[in-house]
Amino acid sequence: MIADRYRELVATRVHRPDAIAEAAARRIPPAAPVGPAGRVLIVAADHPARGALATGGRPLAMADRVDLLDRLCTALARPGVTGVLAGADVVEDLLLLGALDGKSVFGSMNRGGLAGADWEIDDRFTGYTPDGLVRSGLQGGKMLLRLDYADGRTAPVLERCGRAVSLLNASRLVAMVEPFVSRRTGGVLGNDLSTEAVARSAAIASGLGDTSARTWLKLPVVDDMERVAAASTLPVVLLGGEAAADSGAAYARWARALALPTVIGLTAGRSLLYPADDDVEAAVDTAVGLL
């Protein structure tokens, strides 16, 4: 993004804050939350709101907002990209830049479990609310659900996510749930990426709320994805994860998982926005080709 556009964003926020709501009202919505072939490629950029800024060995890569917006605009302009997932600040920057016409936009809801915090498992809903998603004309909301069986603070997180799923479904919005079985090792909270744990988290997330009619699961690609996908009939979008040094191997794993009947596409962030060779267009085009 050229410096003038950056200054323009800041000036708009200072002098014309109502321009954000006006841009949201003007935005051309997508015909459906999925693409014409029923597939999705959603670019994820909600990491900064949780303080997760590192990628590819660069501890503050995602802290450079101008660079992040440049990469997002590049990715969203590629054919086959159906949408974006982000917090309100990033969504609003993209709205003001006119980058979201025809795209599905998913707002990130619970960002209170700051990366590395003592209370990380207690992931409060500090981002979008269901009412805010409706008011902004977005297509859905995403929530992170980490299940630590040794930490009682998991129970209220489950309850809050269940309530959010019900409210999103009632508003006819997609409820995108990203579940993990998690545990602390040496004081650090980590996710169990075994097949058994991911399948269990998918089964638990599928049962949230008073209806699952518009619930999607956002799941990591692990060994034996057939067993994971068999845990539910809900649509699954694959989690891209950290940018891989061997992008070819990562793409091959995605391709195998995309062949499963419940998998409808990808929700990838760092692996597309910060690829090892820094070629965002090529990374996105490769992912589109897999679909």
Side-chain angles (χ1 to χ4, degrees):
M1 182 196 305
I2 60 174
D4 286 346
R5 295 304 305 276
Y6 182 51
R7 285 193 290 269
E8 183 181 331
L9 283 176
V10 176
T12 298
R13 287 181 173 277
V14 172
H15 301 293
R16 295 193 306 113
D18 289 342
I20 292 172
E22 293 165 6
R26 250 188 344 263
R27 179 175 76 97
I28 300 170
V34 298
R39 306 286 258 177
V40 300
L41 178 54
I42 300 164
V43 182
D46 61 339
H47 312 76
R50 203 171 67 82
L53 303 171
T55 186
R58 299 161 56 193
L60 293 176
M62 299 191 80
D64 187 332
R65 180 55 54 88
V66 179
D67 180 58
L68 174 59
L69 291 172
D70 260 339
R71 292 169 184 269
L72 279 167
C73 288
T74 297
L76 287 165
R78 303 306 296 167
V81 174
T82 63
V84 67
L85 161 63
D89 59 329
V90 174
V91 167
E92 290 166 355
D93 282 342
L94 293 171
L95 279 170
L96 291 173
L97 291 168
L100 297 180
D101 280 348
K103 304 298 182 184
S104 295
V105 184
F106 296 84
S108 196
M109 302 178 74
N110 59 332
R111 301 280 81 189
L114 301 184
D118 290 342
W119 70 87
E120 186 172 352
I121 198 68
D122 186 10
D123 210 342
R124 302 294 177 101
F125 280 68
T126 58
Y128 275 108
T129 63
D131 285 347
L133 293 166
V134 172
R135 192 165 55 248
S136 298
L138 307 193
Q139 281 59 60
K142 173 256 183 178
M143 65 205 77
L144 180 60
L145 172 62
R146 286 168 295 185
L147 306 161
D148 186 343
Y149 282 63
D151 192 326
R153 290 173 296 184
T154 295
V157 175
L158 263 171
E159 182 180 18
R160 290 191 290 266
C161 286
R163 186 180 305 119
V165 168
S166 297
L167 290 171
L168 289 168
N169 271 276
S171 298
R172 304 179 71 81
L173 299 181
V174 173
M176 185 186 293
V177 186
E178 181 181 358
F180 292 98
V181 172
S182 305
R183 61 176 59 88
R184 283 197 177 273
T185 304
V188 178
L189 187 67
N191 299 323
D192 185 342
L193 298 182
S194 67
T195 300
E196 293 76 9
V198 177
R200 182 176 294 111
S201 71
I204 292 168
S206 297
L208 291 175
D210 54 20
T211 177
S212 62
R214 290 177 173 81
T215 303
W216 295 1
L217 302 178
K218 182 172 182 264
L219 301 176
V221 179
V222 297
D223 294 334
D224 201 358
M225 277 300 290
E226 291 84 357
R227 288 176 60 195
V228 171
S232 175
T233 59
L234 299 187
V236 172
V237 290
L238 303 176
L239 168 65
E242 177 62 271
D246 184 356
S247 57
Y251 293 144
R253 284 163 60 86
W254 290 356
R256 289 192 294 271
L258 284 164
L260 298 172
T262 57
V263 178
I264 63 169
L266 293 163
T267 302
R270 292 165 295 182
S271 53
L272 298 184
L273 295 173
Y274 300 89
D277 62 2
D278 223 28
D279 189 339
V280 175
E281 289 189 352
V284 172
D285 291 348
T286 300
V288 170
L290 298 177
L291 298 176

